[in-house]
Amino acid sequence: LATALAERLYSASAMVQIDPEPVQVLPYREIDLPSVAPNYEMFMKSQEQILRGSVLVSRVAARLRSEAGPDGGGFAVEADKLDRRLWLRRIENTQIFELGYVAPDPDVAARVANIYAEEYLKLHFDNRQQTREKAKQQLEAELRALEENVRNSDRELVTYAQAHGI
């Protein structure tokens, strides 16, 4: 009787492969991320924390609410239950994480699991873009400083040449 009356729950999952790779700012030069270079396992644990983190859950919830539309359909209800229904598992000895969701509707479970994976990939891409932008800004600042040094050296050279009649 209890089994017949129990709510049916469906689980769906998506797999994400996470490759630690250096950030390429210039076409001929790569910049190693500090978290990747010293320890691969530390990098993977960091990615796991990002996958479990509130930033990603918030992004998934926001997307579910936006897809729910004005009537606040099933996705809006799921957005409030993410903490309890999302699950994550790293497949042993691989670079793959399985991201999953449990819901009373199999289509909703599948859609949320896919959104979870998509939002992680977008977050990862956004973070890499920010890293590239910071590196670009740093290189531009260094370039401006070098250009200023060249201008100062040119002025000093002209001054020296004029003072010594060269």
Side-chain angles (χ1 to χ4, degrees):
L1 183 62
T3 304
L5 295 175
E7 179 183 31
R8 295 182 194 271
L9 294 175
Y10 299 90
S11 182
S13 65
M15 293 191 175
V16 176
Q17 180 175 340
I18 300 173
D19 293 320
E21 55 191 60
V23 176
Q24 189 166 351
V25 178
L26 302 172
Y28 55 87
R29 184 174 167 206
E30 294 178 340
I31 296 176
D32 287 330
L33 295 172
S35 61
V36 175
N39 188 337
Y40 167 77
E41 200 54 41
M42 183 172 54
F43 172 77
M44 294 305 285
K45 286 181 190 249
S46 298
Q47 293 306 304
E48 182 174 354
Q49 290 306 309
I50 291 169
L51 285 163
R52 293 183 189 281
S54 61
V55 171
L56 183 57
V57 171
S58 297
R59 286 176 70 129
V60 172
R63 183 153 165 207
L64 288 172
R65 285 187 186 97
S66 73
E67 289 187 9
D71 64 340
F75 286 138
V77 172
E78 295 303 320
D80 297 329
K81 299 177 182 178
L82 284 176
D83 289 340
R84 296 184 307 273
R85 292 187 172 176
L86 281 174
W87 56 270
L88 172 68
R89 177 177 73 95
R90 180 174 174 197
I91 298 175
E92 197 172 329
N93 299 320
T94 71
Q95 297 174 315
I96 298 173
F97 283 92
E98 186 176 15
L99 320 170
Y101 191 72
V102 177
D105 181 340
D107 294 331
V108 170
R111 184 70 185 130
V112 174
N114 287 331
I115 288 172
Y116 187 27
E118 290 169 9
E119 287 302 316
Y120 167 73
L121 294 174
K122 287 179 184 178
L123 180 64
H124 184 70
F125 178 76
D126 291 347
N127 289 340
R128 292 180 65 75
Q129 284 298 101
Q130 288 175 356
T131 301
R132 283 187 187 99
E133 188 60 35
K134 286 178 185 175
K136 179 182 170 193
Q137 290 170 357
Q138 182 180 357
L139 290 172
E140 287 173 347
E142 289 177 18
L143 179 62
R144 284 190 298 274
L146 289 171
E147 288 172 340
E148 184 62 30
N149 286 342
V150 168
R151 281 192 291 274
N152 290 339
S153 295
D154 284 346
R155 277 192 291 264
E156 289 174 7
L157 179 63
V158 168
T159 304
Y160 179 82
Q162 288 173 346
H164 292 87
I166 301 174

